[in-house]
Amino acid sequence: MLKFTTAREAMASAEEILRQAFADRIGPGAHISALFTDSERRGAVGIAGLPLRLPAIQELLKLPAVAALLPGEAGASALFAVNEEATELSLYIRHAGRQEQTVDVPEAAASVALAHLQAAPGWAGALNAEGEHVIDLRSPVPGPHFAVNLLMGNRLSFPHPLQTTPKSVVDRLGGGSFRSHAATQVLATRWDMRQEENGFPANRQFYLFEDGKQIFYSADPGDEGMESAVCRHSQNVTRITCRTRCGLEITRIISILPQYEGLPLATELQRIEIENHGEADRRLRIVYTGMFGSAAPGALFEDVLYSNVIMQGGVLQDNTGAVAAISPDYYPEGGRHDLRFHTMIVHGPEGPVLPREYCVSYNEFVGTGSLHRPSGALRLSNILHRKGPGFFAVAGEIQAAAGTKTAVDQLTGLVSDKSGALWNDTVLADEVGALVARFSDPCAAESALAESAGFVRDYSKFLQVFSDDKNFDVFVNRNLPFQVLYQSFVSRSFCQTQKGYREIGFREIQDLYASMYYFVGMGRSALVKSLLKEWTGMVFELGYAYHNFFWAGKEPGKWSDDALWLVQAVYRYVMLTGDLEFLDESCPVAGQDSSRPVFETLKAIIVYSGQISIGRHGLPLLDFADWNDCLKLDDTYLNGPAKEKLYREQLQAGGVFGDSLDSDYSESVMNAFLLKVAVDGLSALAARKGEQDDADELNRFGAKLRGRIQEHAWKGDFFARVLFNRYPDGEYTYLGAAGDGLSADPASEGSYFLNSFSWSILSGCADESQISVMLDTMKSHLMTPFGLKLVSPVALGRVSTHTASDEYFPGDRENGGVFKHACMMAAAAMFKGAKEVSDSGLAAELGRLGYWLLDRIMPFKTMEDPFAVCGNPRFCTQYNNSETGENIGPMLSGTSTWLTLSLMEALGIEYTAQGIALSPILREEQTEFSYTLKLGKSSYCIRISKPEGFRRMHGGDARLTLDGRALEDRFIPTPDDGLTHEVELRFEE
């Protein structure tokens, strides 16, 4: 009889077996690392006395001397115990039905095991004072995202930065992949079921040979010849330092070059420095490898042969025959406008030296060996093969004199017509030639690295915080701004596991909500305006938008929330800069050869979402889905053009423009909240612009919309998420509150969606009593130790044929995961509510819950329990499993953006027409908090002091001063006068 068992079924764990077998030796709450001894799962082996949860037993059993100590009898259990100082190791064994035995651990086995255990608390590495993640490369890794860095170039002063900014993923061994404009691969991405595999394994790796023997491989930190190997992931740069037992110190610095006039569109730099600490001169051979990305990535899914036969090997050489670059040649015309290349420059004692050996065949290079020990690396063939793939290897000689350091620059990049430069037959030679000429100076790489670091520092200056929590400070000051910056140009399309061809999502303009403050802070408001116009040009005449785009838009009007996010972005920009003229600037209309003012585009969005594409209750239609991509409830939905065609026919049949579309489609309550935010924002813009009639009309409509929401969407204990119109018998009338008939939990009267809470507050629709009721409902149905679930258990299969509850196990992603993007929206709502509600007790509860959420989302908290939480300690990941707390990933989402916005809300940073309306909500235990804001050439040093307990501006017990002068109206003026201003906010006892 066969029995099938799955991971999620309830069963005894190896840890529980050990706790029962060795109850007298394992205290309650003690950390244990445990495994089953065999497939019967009756016996277990583990180790107790650990300072935190660690995969210690897995690592110990890799040691033959330790593994040999385990009992061979089925059902037996063994417990290693280590003292607090990790200086003594004991072993206890219990056979089924017998007394416990103490086993002597041989000194040799104990010594090697204790060495591992003494190092174990540092296996996850550490965050230093600069927010850098320092990792010992010979330690285990908690998860696929944990030891990963993100890099980006700087094309802000060049055409189309949104589309053309290059970006890289770098793992702890320097692997990963590299992209140029849009989704164009430079170094090949690797599609693999393993999340740890981002790029082709040969990418960015190199070998050192001496006297015909391989003495170093950059991807093998565990080699017996390695003395130490450490990676340091920093903002926009990764440094890896290895020391060999033979006296070499090898440092790798990986970054992306800023854009320079006349140079390739995208160039990644790896500066390799080899220092000879020995007393003898050495002659080394360096061989560097990589795999160029495919010009036809779709073929990798269907016909790999095609991706190979459309290319051939190519080499660019100088007049001496030296290799200026390896560059594959493509036959299809489309491939001839994105020219990949790799260049190596050895900075020798007599000047720069280019390689004189190359190989373009992976099979030829690896031969009968392996990538770690290739048999073809001692002499490269210099054969140009007639087909791909785009593997490359180049080799050169290094004269490493005793006590000296030699630098080698590896430059991998793409020459493309997307740069905006003239395109001709010599462009590869011209741009690569200029690159080689510039970087033949060994100081050029150092200068580029310094420039890149300087830009990131300048960008981050908008907000710098100073508190008692140094981990919080360095995260907010260094790592959080960089992730928001990265996402502002890359969208969600490229990180460790996000490596498909997802384009820039229209709704991902939310990233600009946060990054615009940093850009304006460094004097780049024109950049923000140009990015806003790029999005505005993706809106159709009727007011719907493309769902995603690179160089062209796609899926018009398929998702219903897209265009509404644009209004918030423009509102934030104008309030920040005062640039009312932007509203009158002309912008293209999507889908036709015409243009209109930005303000008219925003008005069209309101008309479409608020008057035309609405359902029977007067709320916006859901369409294919709204913000929640998995909320697909109308199988017969209409996209934008189809809906417009039907609407035009309705008008021709006697309808009036502005009437709603005739349909029985479902209505999105979240979209109704987004619409209310957009209406209020556009009304404020209209008033500032002097269009008072428009402002008044929008205010009337906003009041009417709020009335509809209150009448139809409030269900007694929560706002609904969706209203149904297609069930004539009323079997289902709404989704997302008590009584909806759609809970998958028999103990619950309904299903609940977090965003209904968040956006009802952010839109100003929820009243105080409703907020209080919803808080209680959330605590009962959405709260977990790891944050708030996106949704409670819901049986969407009753109302749809394609749902999240069919895609994911409970607790994962949209099926009840802790979606951190949504959690940060909720935190922003809580801080907003804490400022506005009249009940001080409710306000305090909202403030506490907002900070409780922040504490569960902060990436650096990962380091408290890294092998259980598994997230990246520097960057936000998208969601946690709500049952285990594990950061599943991926790395890119709106979490970092909304974390930034939540912090701004908590710190009281709101830009208005009158200035900054300072209204902070600090933690109750905090009595002091300081931060600086940078706006153009001016800076504001803001110091907040208060007694312990909850305090807010509401109530009047605070004194605000600017440069010693009291501000009675409580607005901080923001003239760009180039001065540093002192702001003090003091709450009285």
Side-chain angles (χ1 to χ4, degrees):
M1 177 128 180
L2 300 179
K3 180 183 178 182
F4 183 65
T5 305
T6 66
R8 284 174 170 77
E9 291 178 346
M11 63 185 72
S13 68
E15 180 181 322
E16 289 168 348
I17 290 174
L18 289 183
R19 288 189 184 278
Q20 292 174 10
F22 302 99
D24 294 339
R25 298 195 177 278
I26 303 174
H31 295 298
I32 304 174
S33 173
L35 297 173
F36 292 106
T37 54
D38 59 29
S39 60
E40 279 191 90
R41 305 168 74 92
R42 291 191 296 117
V45 56
I47 182 165
L50 302 172
L52 68 162
R53 289 186 282 186
L54 294 164
I57 195 64
Q58 290 94 323
E59 294 302 306
L60 288 188
L61 293 181
K62 294 175 184 177
L63 305 173
V66 175
L69 299 174
L70 299 186
E73 182 181 326
S77 293
L79 177 71
F80 290 94
V82 62
N83 65 349
E84 190 172 337
E85 296 79 20
T87 57
E88 296 178 8
L89 183 69
S90 304
L91 173 60
Y92 308 98
I93 293 177
R94 184 181 291 278
H95 297 271
R98 301 186 208 168
Q99 293 294 316
E100 176 189 289
Q101 294 176 282
T102 300
V103 177
D104 289 332
V105 181
E107 185 176 342
S111 177
V112 69
L114 288 170
H116 274 67
L117 293 173
Q118 287 163 3
W123 281 348
L127 293 173
N128 66 18
E130 299 300 316
E132 299 170 325
H133 190 191
V134 183
I135 312 157
D136 186 336
L137 297 182
R138 295 172 299 176
S139 299
V141 182
H145 312 276
F146 184 81
V148 171
N149 201 7
L150 302 174
L151 310 177
M152 63 179 291
N154 181 356
R155 283 186 49 83
L156 300 191
S157 300
F158 290 81
H160 306 295
L162 180 66
Q163 307 278 2
T164 62
T165 296
K167 47 272 182 183
S168 289
V169 173
V170 183
D171 63 30
R172 66 183 193 142
L173 300 179
S177 58
F178 171 37
R179 289 193 183 177
S180 178
H181 64 85
T184 304
Q185 296 181 37
V186 183
L187 283 175
T189 299
R190 187 175 193 179
W191 280 267
D192 191 280
M193 287 289 287
R194 293 186 69 246
Q195 295 182 70
E196 290 80 2
E197 295 277 356
N198 172 271
F200 191 82
N203 289 349
R204 304 193 189 102
Q205 306 303 339
F206 62 95
Y207 310 78
L208 294 179
F209 294 85
E210 186 173 31
D211 298 328
K213 178 184 176 183
Q214 181 178 319
I215 62 169
F216 176 84
Y217 178 45
S218 57
D220 189 9
D223 185 86
E224 61 183 14
M226 199 77 74
E227 183 177 286
S228 65
V230 176
C231 171
R232 181 156 52 100
H233 285 319
S234 186
Q235 299 82 24
N236 216 22
V237 64
T238 288
R239 292 175 173 85
I240 303 170
T241 302
C242 301
R243 290 187 72 111
T244 68
R245 299 188 191 281
C246 66
L248 296 179
E249 182 173 342
I250 301 154
T251 301
R252 308 164 62 190
I253 307 171
I254 304 170
S255 188
I256 298 178
L257 298 181
Q259 183 68 63
Y260 300 112
E261 195 68 48
L263 266 59
L265 178 73
T267 307
E268 185 181 86
L269 164 70
Q270 181 168 182
R271 160 60 66 95
I272 300 169
E273 296 175 343
I274 302 172
E275 188 169 0
N276 180 4
H277 289 287
E279 297 179 356
D281 296 347
R282 302 176 68 170
R283 184 179 179 184
L284 305 174
R285 170 181 173 83
I286 183 170
V287 181
Y288 189 91
T289 64
M291 178 71 78
F292 290 121
S294 174
L300 302 180
F301 296 94
E302 300 173 7
D303 184 3
V304 174
L305 172 65
Y306 174 82
S307 69
N308 279 253
V309 299
I310 64 170
M311 65 185 296
Q312 62 180 334
V315 59
L316 185 68
Q317 295 171 281
D318 68 11
N319 55 10
T320 72
V323 178
I326 293 293
S327 181
D329 178 60
Y330 300 95
Y331 189 76
E333 181 63 25
R336 292 177 174 271
H337 294 267
D338 288 317
L339 308 178
R340 296 157 182 84
F341 68 87
H342 178 78
T343 294
M344 179 169 80
I345 304 172
V346 178
H347 298 288
E350 298 181 1
V353 180
L354 296 175
R356 289 190 173 270
E357 291 181 42
Y358 63 85
C359 174
V360 296
S361 168
Y362 179 86
N363 293 340
E364 184 180 88
F365 179 76
V366 171
T368 57
S370 66
L371 193 56
H372 277 225
R373 294 277 174 180
S375 61
L378 286 177
R379 178 63 62 178
L380 305 186
S381 70
N382 303 299
I383 296 173
L384 293 174
H385 291 269
R386 291 166 58 94
K387 59 180 183 296
F391 175 79
F392 65 87
V394 290
E397 299 293 326
I398 297 174
Q399 302 297 328
T404 66
K405 182 188 296 185
T406 301
V408 183
D409 287 333
Q410 308 289 347
L411 299 158
T412 310
L414 183 92
V415 172
S416 175
D417 63 355
K418 298 295 192 299
S419 69
L422 293 176
W423 190 257
N424 54 48
D425 292 340
T426 66
V427 66
L428 177 68
D430 294 343
E431 294 192 6
V432 171
L435 182 73
V436 170
R438 184 183 188 114
F439 285 87
S440 289
D441 180 349
C443 295
E446 297 162 8
S447 175
L449 290 167
E451 181 180 340
S452 177
F455 170 77
V456 172
R457 281 196 304 272
D458 288 345
Y459 169 84
S460 301
K461 287 179 180 177
F462 160 67
L463 173 63
Q464 295 284 291
V465 301
F466 308 95
S467 72
D468 293 333
D469 185 343
K470 299 310 174 188
N471 286 325
F472 171 81
D473 293 354
V474 75
F475 170 67
V476 173
N477 296 344
R478 302 297 299 273
N479 290 322
L480 180 59
F482 181 75
Q483 185 174 7
V484 173
L485 172 67
Y486 182 93
Q487 293 187 182
S488 295
F489 295 95
V490 182
S491 183
R492 312 288 188 267
S493 64
F494 187 51
C495 74
Q496 176 67 13
T497 59
Q498 291 161 301
K499 49 193 179 182
Y501 283 79
R502 173 176 176 168
E503 301 190 358
I504 296 172
F506 193 98
R507 68 167 70 112
E508 284 144 20
I509 196 173
Q510 292 169 75
D511 292 326
L512 195 56
Y513 289 10
S515 62
M516 71 168 64
Y517 295 101
Y518 291 88
F519 287 132
V520 172
M522 64 190 307
R524 289 186 175 263
S525 57
L527 170 68
V528 178
K529 185 160 60 174
S530 71
L531 295 174
L532 286 171
K533 290 185 74 172
E534 197 155 351
W535 259 281
T536 306
M538 294 292 165
V539 180
F540 284 73
E541 181 183 18
L542 198 62
Y544 56 87
Y546 283 117
H547 179 60
N548 49 37
F549 60 93
F550 271 151
W551 298 105
K554 292 182 180 178
E555 299 181 304
K558 188 174 178 180
W559 276 261
S560 54
D561 62 308
D562 284 326
L564 290 169
W565 298 104
L566 174 63
V567 185
Q568 289 190 55
V570 174
Y571 171 82
R572 288 177 181 274
Y573 169 74
V574 173
M575 289 300 168
L576 175 61
T577 64
D579 183 9
L580 288 168
E581 291 76 14
F582 173 64
L583 298 173
D584 293 323
E585 289 194 20
S586 184
C587 202
V589 176
Q592 60 189 60
D593 188 19
S594 63
S595 61
R596 62 184 170 191
V598 170
F599 188 68
E600 294 302 316
T601 296
L602 303 185
K603 287 169 63 177
I605 292 169
I606 300 299
V607 170
Y608 177 78
S609 295
Q611 294 178 238
I612 297 173
S613 184
I614 61 175
R616 293 174 183 173
H617 303 88
L619 306 185
L621 296 181
L622 176 66
D623 295 341
F624 179 70
D626 58 17
W627 175 88
N628 187 338
D629 286 336
C630 292
L631 203 60
K632 303 165 184 174
L633 302 178
D634 286 337
D635 291 341
T636 61
Y637 75 94
L638 299 174
N639 66 16
K643 193 185 298 180
E644 180 172 359
K645 180 176 181 295
L646 192 63
Y647 190 66
R648 300 294 182 193
E649 291 172 357
Q650 183 176 312
L651 296 182
Q652 290 173 3
V656 176
F657 187 84
D659 288 347
S660 63
L661 178 72
D662 235 355
S663 81
D664 63 357
Y665 290 125
S666 303
E667 296 161 86
S668 166
V669 178
M670 178 170 173
N671 276 359
F673 293 138
L674 293 178
L675 176 61
K676 179 63 164 56
V677 174
V679 168
D680 291 347
L682 191 58
S683 171
L685 293 178
R688 286 195 66 179
K689 190 175 183 293
E691 305 286 349
Q692 195 56 50
D693 289 345
D694 283 335
D696 292 342
E697 183 179 348
L698 286 163
N699 286 335
R700 287 191 294 272
F701 176 68
K704 185 185 298 184
L705 176 62
R706 185 179 185 277
R708 292 173 184 168
I709 292 169
Q710 285 286 345
E711 179 182 357
H712 302 296
W714 176 249
K715 300 301 179 182
D717 68 341
F718 225 69
F719 280 100
R721 185 65 173 77
V722 173
L723 304 181
F724 293 115
N725 296 310
R726 66 174 186 265
Y727 295 100
D729 59 357
E731 180 182 6
Y732 298 107
T733 59
Y734 64 90
L735 165 69
D740 65 0
L742 292 168
S743 173
D745 179 0
S748 176
E749 296 181 355
S751 62
Y752 298 92
F753 290 75
L754 179 57
N755 277 339
S756 293
F757 166 83
S758 308
W759 284 95
S760 68
I761 298 175
L762 291 171
S763 65
C765 289
D767 63 35
E768 195 161 327
S769 63
Q770 290 168 336
I771 293 172
S772 181
V773 170
M774 286 191 291
L775 271 182
D776 291 337
T777 303
M778 279 201 312
K779 290 176 183 177
S780 299
H781 297 280
L782 299 178
M783 184 173 280
T784 78
F786 316 110
L788 297 174
K789 292 191 282 189
L790 178 68
V791 59
S792 66
V794 56
L796 289 176
R798 299 174 190 171
V799 291
S800 176
T801 59
H802 182 75
T803 70
S805 51
D806 294 336
E807 292 283 334
Y808 304 114
F809 289 105
D812 276 335
R813 294 200 120 164
E814 285 91 349
N815 193 15
V818 175
F819 223 74
K820 291 187 279 191
H821 183 169
C823 282
M824 290 298 90
M825 290 175 170
M830 291 166 186
F831 292 129
K832 181 177 186 291
K835 300 173 188 181
E836 296 176 350
V837 298
S838 58
D839 184 331
S840 60
L842 176 60
E845 184 178 9
L846 286 166
R848 284 192 296 270
L849 191 53
Y851 278 111
W852 178 85
L853 268 181
L854 286 183
D855 287 341
R856 274 137 194 83
I857 304 310
M858 293 292 180
F860 60 85
K861 296 284 187 179
T862 293
M863 299 302 285
E864 296 174 2
D865 197 4
F867 286 89
V869 177
C870 302
N872 188 294
R874 296 174 54 241
F875 298 134
C876 300
T877 51
Q878 185 185 57
Y879 83 99
N880 290 36
N881 181 282
S882 59
E883 296 176 357
T884 67
E886 180 185 356
N887 279 265
I888 306 296
M891 289 169 67
L892 303 184
S893 73
T895 307
S896 60
T897 288
W898 279 93
L899 175 50
T900 303
L901 298 176
S902 294
L903 288 171
M904 290 178 64
E905 191 75 57
L907 297 178
I909 306 167
E910 181 183 359
Y911 289 88
T912 71
Q914 294 78 33
I916 298 174
L918 189 64
S919 181
I921 300 291
L922 298 187
R923 296 177 188 267
E924 292 184 22
E925 65 273 19
Q926 285 179 318
T927 58
E928 299 281 342
F929 196 97
S930 299
Y931 61 91
T932 62
L933 288 179
K934 189 171 184 297
L935 183 60
K937 298 176 182 178
S938 301
S939 296
Y940 296 81
C941 299
I942 299 173
R943 294 190 300 277
I944 305 168
S945 59
K946 71 174 186 64
E948 285 193 11
F950 180 75
R951 292 291 189 278
R952 57 178 178 163
M953 296 295 282
H954 184 82
D957 60 343
R959 184 172 188 271
L960 179 65
T961 62
L962 172 66
D963 298 328
R965 175 174 56 88
L967 298 175
E968 301 299 337
D969 62 1
R970 298 191 174 181
F971 288 99
I972 303 170
T974 56
D976 193 7
D977 55 14
L979 301 177
T980 297
H981 298 279
E982 300 291 331
V983 177
E984 184 171 5
L985 175 62
R986 181 177 295 276
F987 290 91
E988 305 299 334
E989 290 283 353

